[in-house]
Amino acid sequence: MRTPILLVLFIAFAPAKAQTTPSSLRPDISVDHYMNVRSSAVRLEVDPISGRLYYLRTNGELLVVIDDGIAPPHDSVVFTTEDHLLDDTYGMTFHDSDLFVIGNQVTGSSTQGIVHRARLQPDGSRLWTVAAWTEPYAWGGKAHGFNNVVVSPDETELYLNCGSRTDHGEVQDVNGAYPELREEPITAKILRIPIDANELLLPNDEPELAASEFVFASGVRNTFDMAFDADGRLFGVENSGDHDDPEEMNWLRQGHHYGFPWTAGGNSNPTPIVGYDPALDPLLNPGFPSAATDFQYDPTFPPAPPFFTEPIRNTGPDADRVRDPLTSGIRDASDEGIEIRTFTCHRSPLGLLFDTDSLWGDDLRGDALMLSFTPGGDTLGFSPIAPWGIPVVPADPSSDLIHLVLTPDLPNDNFSVQATRIVEGFYLPVDAANANNVIYVLENSGGNERAIWKVTLPLYTGIDGTIGSHTTPLHVWPVPTADRIMWSTEGKRPNAITLLDMQGRVCRTVLTRTTNGVIAVNDLPAAVYLLRADYLDGFVHQRFVITK
């Protein structure tokens, strides 16, 4: 997404679009208003212990969503900057009984990136400690800072994003405080640290970082969202800056360099090219503030590394508009057979989710979803609802939820992605949280309430359906339950009662001699399950929920 500096300005001053309900583009997906949220909301997560939603504001406030099924969902502040000493917060994640919050402690023209841990205590409170922090480094310029933290699939490591401090590698000296400074050693990188780290100091020194093995990947401008797929591969999405270069989706791998600041979205940075004139650059929109100050011929631009890993190629049909470098017109890449890596410029891809448990139904099963933060505009990127009064996404509606289908691109040791819009009409959707087949989408707005939207996807039942369903009713209660489930089949005895999770895995099988019974479920984790009554001539099943 855009730099935190611009995001904060928007939060403080930008007008908000009138709230309207987003629209599903598929008949099997519904969208409902869940609740309003406070301004400056930036992250949304589900606590695996309580099952509750939490959201984070950029001012350091963390709020819990209270949904007891009686009163309408509402929020309550549980932590503030007084608890974790951060007033510039952009990321959070839960792991077991730990909550991690990541942000920046800015002092004048310098900053420290900090990861705080809040560990759940027996009395329900949380104890805050520092998991990791950086040595001070230069703030200012186009600083993105520390803004994203995710847990590895084996639950032993944390992956952190430290975004760039420049738009495209230009000098950002902060009014002479840092002469000739471009990026710092620690910026524009994905870092990896032990999940049990305690007051770990991350050096702002290239040789020390290399020796520490904390650097996982380099050359990423600002990977504001990362997520692991079901096979443990890490993917990230990022905004490519003020030039009309495609936004990137990358398969993030250890030791790889992803091109920033020498490339963006598969395009070369033009500023080191002898004779570069920003006034003649067809991919530079004069409406961007940096166009007048930061884009110019740059004869001292540092030499590029020998190898880059390219962003993922988008095969369409959506989010694939490109600015023609010869005519400056907008073209549809998939319709015209043009390569794009990966998404239409300035979409600001966020809210990346994978269906790692294969719970989503139909063609969504096992795939990914992604939000697009920025609104769409005309061919020049202008729109009456542009949040910063600057160009937005040109000739592409954006502000949507996109279905992503990743396919291995074996010759290039990479992936391609098919992108299809499935919900449209959000306003500045900034994050998403997955609860089985329900996706909660968080909107962001400055000085105004926005919303959490509830997007309900088709649910995979775990049942093939090729065997004919039995006509005998199956009753299951109480729903939800925490410790036991009772069942009855109205007079016809099944051969067996089978309890399955939503991946179709058998959790219990009970051979029956009666038409009713009780099954203990207190040892099963909170989730959606199926109870199936098996007969010689078919089966019948009912869905139920275990809560903790």
Side-chain angles (χ1 to χ4, degrees), residues 138-143 163-166 172 174 181-184 187:
W139 191 240
K142 298 296 182 73
S164 70
R165 63 175 303 276
T166 70
Q172 290 285 352
V174 193
L181 183 63
R182 300 173 189 266
E183 294 299 330
E184 288 273 46
T187 58

Side-chain angles (χ1 to χ4, degrees), residues 34-66:
Y34 183 65
M35 63 173 284
N36 286 345
V37 295
R38 309 183 196 195
S39 63
S40 312
V42 68
R43 292 287 182 182
L44 184 67
E45 292 285 340
V46 177
D47 175 11
I49 301 298
S50 66
R52 285 179 162 179
L53 282 171
Y54 285 75
Y55 74 90
L56 180 70
R57 301 177 68 198
T58 58
N59 66 358
E61 281 189 353
L62 185 69
L63 300 95
V64 62
V65 174
I66 300 169

Side-chain angles (χ1 to χ4, degrees), residues 14-33:
K17 175 188 173 186
Q19 192 172 74
T20 57
T21 301
S23 302
S24 172
L25 300 175
R26 293 174 44 146
D28 57 349
I29 294 175
S30 63
V31 184
D32 299 287
H33 180 267

Side-chain angles (χ1 to χ4, degrees), residues 155-221:
E155 304 180 11
T156 64
E157 295 169 318
L158 296 175
Y159 288 74
L160 321 174
N161 176 60
C162 181
S164 70
R165 63 175 303 276
T166 70
D167 179 82
H168 55 275
E170 74 282 1
V171 170
Q172 290 285 352
D173 62 7
V174 193
N175 297 319
Y178 303 100
E180 301 302 314
L181 183 63
R182 300 173 189 266
E183 294 299 330
E184 288 273 46
I186 203 165
T187 58
K189 290 181 173 63
I190 305 296
L191 305 175
R192 181 177 59 184
I193 65 172
I195 200 167
D196 59 356
N198 182 45
E199 297 189 359
L200 175 66
L201 183 64
L202 300 171
N204 184 38
D205 178 84
E206 206 74 62
E208 287 186 54
L209 278 172
S212 71
E213 300 185 351
F214 295 140
V215 176
F216 179 73
S218 304
V220 290
R221 182 176 182 271

Side-chain angles (χ1 to χ4, degrees), residues 7 10-11 40-42 373 427-430 442-446 450:
L7 180 60
F10 161 66
I11 287 168
S40 312
V42 68
F373 178 75
Y427 187 66
L428 304 179
V430 69
L442 176 69
E443 291 180 323
N444 169 292
S445 184
R450 292 310 296 176

Side-chain angles (χ1 to χ4, degrees), residues 316-479:
D318 295 326
D320 64 339
R321 305 294 177 87
V322 293
R323 176 86 62 193
D324 190 305
L326 297 178
T327 68
S328 76
I330 298 297
R331 303 173 67 180
D332 188 302
S334 57
D335 285 353
E336 300 189 42
I338 303 168
E339 183 174 280
I340 177 172
R341 296 183 179 267
T342 309
F343 305 116
T344 310
C345 60
H346 311 307
R347 268 183 166 262
S348 293
L350 303 171
L352 182 63
L353 297 173
F354 280 92
D355 181 24
T356 54
D357 294 325
S358 295
L359 294 179
W360 304 340
D362 298 334
D363 60 321
L364 302 171
R365 188 169 184 238
D367 292 338
L369 298 175
M370 180 196 80
L371 297 168
S372 299
F373 178 75
T374 316
D378 62 15
T379 56
L380 294 177
F382 288 99
S383 167
I385 60 170
W388 298 282
I390 59 176
V392 288
V393 183
D396 193 350
S398 196
S399 295
D400 45 25
L401 180 65
I402 293 183
H403 174 207
L404 302 176
V405 181
L406 287 155
T407 303
D409 181 3
L410 297 178
N412 296 302
D413 189 27
N414 209 329
F415 281 83
S416 64
V417 65
Q418 175 184 307
T420 306
R421 304 174 73 233
I422 60 174
V423 178
E424 66 179 359
F426 298 107
Y427 187 66
L428 304 179
V430 69
D431 202 18
N434 184 18
N436 297 319
N437 68 315
V438 174
I439 308 300
Y440 294 96
V441 175
L442 176 69
E443 291 180 323
N444 169 292
S445 184
N448 297 274
E449 286 191 338
R450 292 310 296 176
I452 295 175
W453 299 97
K454 182 179 179 181
V455 179
T456 304
L457 308 177
L459 179 67
Y460 177 66
T461 64
I463 302 297
D464 189 339
T466 56
I467 304 175
S469 287
H470 207 273
T471 57
T472 302
L474 172 63
H475 302 288
V476 175
W477 75 96
V479 179

